[in-house]
Amino acid sequence: MFLKLLLIPLAVFTGVPDQDNPRIYLIRHAKVDMEIYGWGSARKSGELKEMYNLTGIRDFDREKVLKKIREYAPPDTIYLSPQHRAVMTAEHIFDTTTFFRIDNRLVELDYSVLSIPVLRLPVKAWLFISRITWMAGANQSEKAAYNDRISELKEFSEELIFFAEHHGHAIVVAHGMVNRELIRILKKSGWHFCKNGRDGFGNLSVNCLQKKL
Protein backbone atom coordinates (compact mmCIF):
# COMPACT_ATOMS: atom_id res chain seq x y z
CA MET A 1 0.00 0.00 0.00
CA PHE A 2 2.84 2.36 0.91
CA LEU A 3 4.56 1.58 -2.40
CA LYS A 4 1.37 2.34 -4.34
CA LEU A 5 1.09 5.73 -2.60
CA LEU A 6 4.61 6.53 -3.72
CA LEU A 7 3.94 5.51 -7.31
CA ILE A 8 0.87 7.73 -7.77
CA PRO A 9 2.69 11.08 -7.46
CA LEU A 10 5.58 9.61 -9.44
CA ALA A 11 3.19 8.99 -12.35
CA VAL A 12 2.01 12.59 -12.16
CA PHE A 13 5.49 14.13 -12.22
CA THR A 14 6.95 11.85 -14.87
CA GLY A 15 3.98 12.02 -17.23
CA VAL A 16 3.32 8.26 -17.01
CA PRO A 17 -0.41 7.59 -17.64
CA ASP A 18 -2.30 6.23 -14.62
CA GLN A 19 -4.32 3.24 -15.85
CA ASP A 20 -6.38 3.23 -12.63
CA ASN A 21 -7.57 6.74 -13.50
CA PRO A 22 -7.95 6.80 -17.30
CA ARG A 23 -8.57 10.03 -19.18
CA ILE A 24 -9.83 10.97 -22.61
CA TYR A 25 -8.75 14.23 -24.27
CA LEU A 26 -10.90 15.67 -27.06
CA ILE A 27 -9.09 18.31 -29.14
CA ARG A 28 -10.80 20.50 -31.71
CA HIS A 29 -8.84 21.41 -34.84
CA ALA A 30 -7.11 24.78 -35.31
CA LYS A 31 -8.89 27.74 -36.87
CA VAL A 32 -9.45 27.36 -40.60
CA ASP A 33 -7.80 30.07 -42.68
CA MET A 34 -11.01 31.59 -44.03
CA GLU A 35 -13.92 33.62 -42.71
CA ILE A 36 -17.57 32.78 -43.31
CA TYR A 37 -19.63 35.94 -43.20
CA GLY A 38 -21.90 38.21 -45.24
CA TRP A 39 -25.25 37.63 -46.89
CA GLY A 40 -26.14 35.34 -49.74
CA SER A 41 -28.31 32.68 -51.26
CA ALA A 42 -28.57 29.06 -50.17
CA ARG A 43 -26.33 28.12 -53.09
CA LYS A 44 -23.60 30.57 -52.10
CA SER A 45 -23.77 29.37 -48.48
CA GLY A 46 -23.40 25.77 -49.60
CA GLU A 47 -20.37 26.66 -51.73
CA LEU A 48 -18.68 28.44 -48.82
CA LYS A 49 -19.37 25.46 -46.60
CA GLU A 50 -17.66 23.12 -49.06
CA MET A 51 -14.74 25.53 -49.47
CA TYR A 52 -14.28 25.53 -45.69
CA ASN A 53 -13.75 21.76 -45.81
CA LEU A 54 -10.85 22.17 -48.27
CA THR A 55 -9.07 25.15 -46.69
CA GLY A 56 -5.93 24.88 -44.56
CA ILE A 57 -5.47 26.03 -40.96
CA ARG A 58 -3.84 29.05 -39.38
CA ASP A 59 -0.54 28.65 -37.58
CA PHE A 60 -0.62 28.15 -33.79
CA ASP A 61 1.58 27.45 -30.79
CA ARG A 62 1.56 23.69 -30.19
CA GLU A 63 2.91 24.10 -26.65
CA LYS A 64 -0.27 25.89 -25.56
CA VAL A 65 -2.24 22.83 -26.62
CA LEU A 66 0.10 20.31 -25.01
CA LYS A 67 -0.01 22.20 -21.69
CA LYS A 68 -3.75 21.49 -21.56
CA ILE A 69 -3.07 17.76 -21.58
CA ARG A 70 -2.28 17.11 -17.93
CA GLU A 71 0.16 14.33 -17.03
CA TYR A 72 1.06 14.52 -20.70
CA ALA A 73 3.16 11.68 -22.06
CA PRO A 74 3.95 11.50 -25.78
CA PRO A 75 1.26 9.13 -27.08
CA ASP A 76 1.98 6.46 -29.66
CA THR A 77 -1.56 6.64 -31.07
CA ILE A 78 -3.97 9.50 -31.82
CA TYR A 79 -7.55 9.00 -32.98
CA LEU A 80 -8.07 11.39 -35.85
CA SER A 81 -10.74 12.67 -38.20
CA PRO A 82 -9.73 12.22 -41.85
CA GLN A 83 -10.67 15.80 -42.73
CA HIS A 84 -7.90 18.15 -43.85
CA ARG A 85 -8.12 20.62 -40.95
CA ALA A 86 -7.96 17.88 -38.31
CA VAL A 87 -5.03 16.07 -39.95
CA MET A 88 -3.02 19.29 -40.30
CA THR A 89 -3.71 20.16 -36.65
CA ALA A 90 -2.55 16.76 -35.39
CA GLU A 91 0.59 16.88 -37.53
CA HIS A 92 1.49 20.26 -36.05
CA ILE A 93 0.91 19.20 -32.42
CA PHE A 94 2.42 15.72 -32.30
CA ASP A 95 5.76 14.40 -33.50
CA THR A 96 6.43 12.07 -36.40
CA THR A 97 6.67 8.97 -34.19
CA THR A 98 2.96 9.21 -33.37
CA PHE A 99 0.61 6.87 -35.21
CA PHE A 100 -2.52 8.58 -36.49
CA ARG A 101 -5.44 6.18 -36.36
CA ILE A 102 -7.73 7.87 -38.88
CA ASP A 103 -11.37 6.99 -38.33
CA ASN A 104 -14.14 8.02 -40.72
CA ARG A 105 -16.62 8.03 -37.85
CA LEU A 106 -14.91 11.21 -36.62
CA VAL A 107 -15.78 13.23 -39.74
CA GLU A 108 -17.61 16.40 -38.74
CA LEU A 109 -21.39 16.05 -38.60
CA ASP A 110 -22.37 17.18 -42.09
CA TYR A 111 -25.63 18.41 -43.54
CA SER A 112 -26.89 20.00 -46.73
CA VAL A 113 -27.83 23.67 -46.85
CA LEU A 114 -31.59 24.06 -47.22
CA SER A 115 -32.56 25.01 -50.77
CA ILE A 116 -34.94 27.98 -50.71
CA PRO A 117 -34.79 29.93 -54.00
CA VAL A 118 -34.65 33.75 -54.05
CA LEU A 119 -34.35 34.12 -50.25
CA ARG A 120 -31.18 35.85 -49.04
CA LEU A 121 -29.94 35.49 -45.46
CA PRO A 122 -26.67 35.86 -43.56
CA VAL A 123 -24.52 32.86 -44.46
CA LYS A 124 -24.23 31.86 -40.80
CA ALA A 125 -28.02 31.93 -40.53
CA TRP A 126 -28.31 29.55 -43.50
CA LEU A 127 -25.88 27.17 -41.82
CA PHE A 128 -27.58 27.38 -38.43
CA ILE A 129 -31.08 26.77 -39.80
CA SER A 130 -29.82 23.93 -42.01
CA ARG A 131 -28.04 22.25 -39.10
CA ILE A 132 -31.01 22.51 -36.72
CA THR A 133 -33.49 21.15 -39.28
CA TRP A 134 -31.07 18.32 -40.13
CA MET A 135 -30.75 17.36 -36.47
CA ALA A 136 -34.56 17.39 -36.20
CA GLY A 137 -34.85 15.05 -39.19
CA ALA A 138 -36.52 17.64 -41.45
CA ASN A 139 -33.55 18.34 -43.72
CA GLN A 140 -32.76 15.01 -45.35
CA SER A 141 -30.48 14.65 -48.38
CA GLU A 142 -27.81 12.34 -49.71
CA LYS A 143 -25.80 12.97 -46.52
CA ALA A 144 -26.08 10.65 -43.54
CA ALA A 145 -28.93 11.31 -41.12
CA TYR A 146 -28.17 12.81 -37.72
CA ASN A 147 -29.32 9.71 -35.82
CA ASP A 148 -27.11 7.50 -37.98
CA ARG A 149 -24.07 9.66 -37.21
CA ILE A 150 -24.81 9.52 -33.47
CA SER A 151 -25.00 5.72 -33.69
CA GLU A 152 -21.56 5.72 -35.33
CA LEU A 153 -20.13 7.89 -32.56
CA LYS A 154 -21.60 5.62 -29.89
CA GLU A 155 -19.89 2.69 -31.57
CA PHE A 156 -16.62 4.63 -31.77
CA SER A 157 -16.85 5.66 -28.10
CA GLU A 158 -16.79 1.99 -27.05
CA GLU A 159 -13.46 1.53 -28.83
CA LEU A 160 -12.15 4.81 -27.39
CA ILE A 161 -13.06 3.83 -23.84
CA PHE A 162 -11.43 0.42 -24.25
CA PHE A 163 -8.22 2.07 -25.48
CA ALA A 164 -8.18 4.63 -22.64
CA GLU A 165 -8.79 1.99 -19.98
CA HIS A 166 -5.91 -0.16 -21.27
CA HIS A 167 -3.40 2.62 -22.00
CA GLY A 168 -4.17 5.16 -19.29
CA HIS A 169 -5.36 7.82 -21.70
CA ALA A 170 -6.68 8.38 -25.21
CA ILE A 171 -6.49 11.47 -27.43
CA VAL A 172 -8.86 12.48 -30.21
CA VAL A 173 -8.39 15.31 -32.73
CA ALA A 174 -11.71 16.06 -34.38
CA HIS A 175 -14.37 18.78 -34.68
CA GLY A 176 -16.65 20.94 -32.55
CA MET A 177 -19.93 19.11 -33.16
CA VAL A 178 -18.29 15.69 -33.00
CA ASN A 179 -16.56 16.48 -29.70
CA ARG A 180 -19.78 17.88 -28.25
CA GLU A 181 -21.63 14.64 -29.07
CA LEU A 182 -18.78 12.46 -27.79
CA ILE A 183 -18.88 14.28 -24.46
CA ARG A 184 -22.61 13.59 -24.15
CA ILE A 185 -22.07 9.92 -24.96
CA LEU A 186 -19.12 9.53 -22.59
CA LYS A 187 -20.98 11.21 -19.70
CA LYS A 188 -23.83 8.72 -20.15
CA SER A 189 -21.21 5.95 -19.95
CA GLY A 190 -19.95 7.10 -16.54
CA TRP A 191 -17.27 9.62 -17.52
CA HIS A 192 -17.11 13.19 -16.25
CA PHE A 193 -15.01 16.29 -16.78
CA CYS A 194 -11.58 16.24 -15.16
CA LYS A 195 -10.83 19.00 -12.67
CA ASN A 196 -10.55 22.15 -14.82
CA GLY A 197 -11.08 19.88 -17.82
CA ARG A 198 -14.02 21.72 -19.38
CA ASP A 199 -12.65 23.84 -22.24
CA GLY A 200 -15.62 24.66 -24.47
CA PHE A 201 -15.73 23.96 -28.20
CA GLY A 202 -13.62 26.71 -29.73
CA ASN A 203 -10.67 26.03 -32.00
CA LEU A 204 -7.86 24.13 -30.23
CA SER A 205 -10.04 23.52 -27.17
CA VAL A 206 -9.02 20.47 -25.13
CA ASN A 207 -11.79 18.82 -23.12
CA CYS A 208 -10.62 16.25 -20.59
CA LEU A 209 -12.91 13.48 -19.33
CA GLN A 210 -12.17 11.03 -16.56
CA LYS A 211 -13.69 7.67 -15.67
CA LYS A 212 -15.81 7.65 -12.50
CA LEU A 213 -14.32 5.10 -10.12
Side-chain angles (χ1 to χ4, degrees):
M1 179 67 181
F2 179 72
L3 179 60
K4 185 175 182 180
L5 290 173
L6 286 177
L7 289 176
I8 291 175
L10 181 63
V12 171
F13 288 114
T14 60
V16 177
D18 179 5
Q19 288 175 280
D20 293 329
N21 193 26
R23 295 186 174 193
I24 292 175
Y25 298 93
L26 303 175
I27 303 173
R28 187 188 174 194
H29 62 80
K31 187 173 180 60
V32 173
D33 196 18
M34 72 171 284
E35 297 291 343
I36 296 181
Y37 59 89
W39 288 61
S41 63
R43 179 177 178 180
K44 176 186 175 182
S45 301
E47 290 173 350
L48 287 173
K49 182 171 172 291
E50 294 305 316
M51 189 183 302
Y52 179 88
N53 288 331
L54 300 175
T55 303
I57 61 172
R58 296 181 181 176
D59 194 25
F60 64 92
D61 183 356
R62 67 189 291 266
E63 292 302 324
K64 290 183 178 180
V65 181
L66 292 177
K67 285 179 181 178
K68 295 181 181 181
I69 305 177
R70 293 168 177 80
E71 293 115 33
Y72 174 75
D76 58 3
T77 301
I78 301 291
Y79 285 93
L80 181 61
S81 161
Q83 287 177 281
H84 187 51
R85 55 192 181 273
V87 173
M88 291 184 69
T89 299
E91 288 177 341
H92 189 70
I93 296 173
F94 302 103
D95 59 44
T96 55
T97 62
T98 304
F99 174 69
F100 294 150
R101 184 177 292 186
I102 293 176
D103 196 308
N104 290 331
R105 293 171 293 184
L106 291 173
V107 167
E108 180 61 303
L109 303 188
D110 198 12
Y111 51 89
S112 296
V113 175
L114 284 173
S115 180
I116 306 177
V118 182
L119 184 63
R120 291 175 62 83
L121 292 172
V123 173
K124 290 186 177 181
W126 276 116
L127 300 181
F128 176 76
I129 294 170
S130 299
R131 180 172 69 250
I132 295 301
T133 53
W134 173 70
M135 293 174 70
N139 176 17
Q140 299 302 310
S141 65
E142 74 283 356
K143 298 183 184 295
Y146 172 72
N147 288 337
D148 291 339
R149 290 302 319 277
I150 297 305
S151 295
E152 290 179 352
L153 290 176
K154 287 179 179 178
E155 180 184 76
F156 169 77
S157 70
E158 295 175 1
E159 180 180 333
L160 183 66
I161 289 170
F162 180 84
F163 186 93
E165 290 178 341
H166 286 77
H167 294 83
H169 70 266
I171 299 175
V172 175
V173 180
H175 310 272
M177 291 176 66
V178 167
N179 288 353
R180 186 187 301 271
E181 297 296 345
L182 281 175
I183 287 173
R184 290 177 181 171
I185 293 168
L186 290 170
K187 290 176 75 173
K188 289 180 180 179
S189 298
W191 293 67
H192 63 99
F193 282 111
C194 308
K195 183 178 180 181
N196 301 321
R198 190 192 302 264
D199 199 28
F201 299 98
N203 295 110
L204 297 175
S205 58
V206 181
N207 285 285
C208 172
L209 287 100
Q210 195 169 9
K211 183 67 178 290
K212 286 185 178 179
L213 300 178

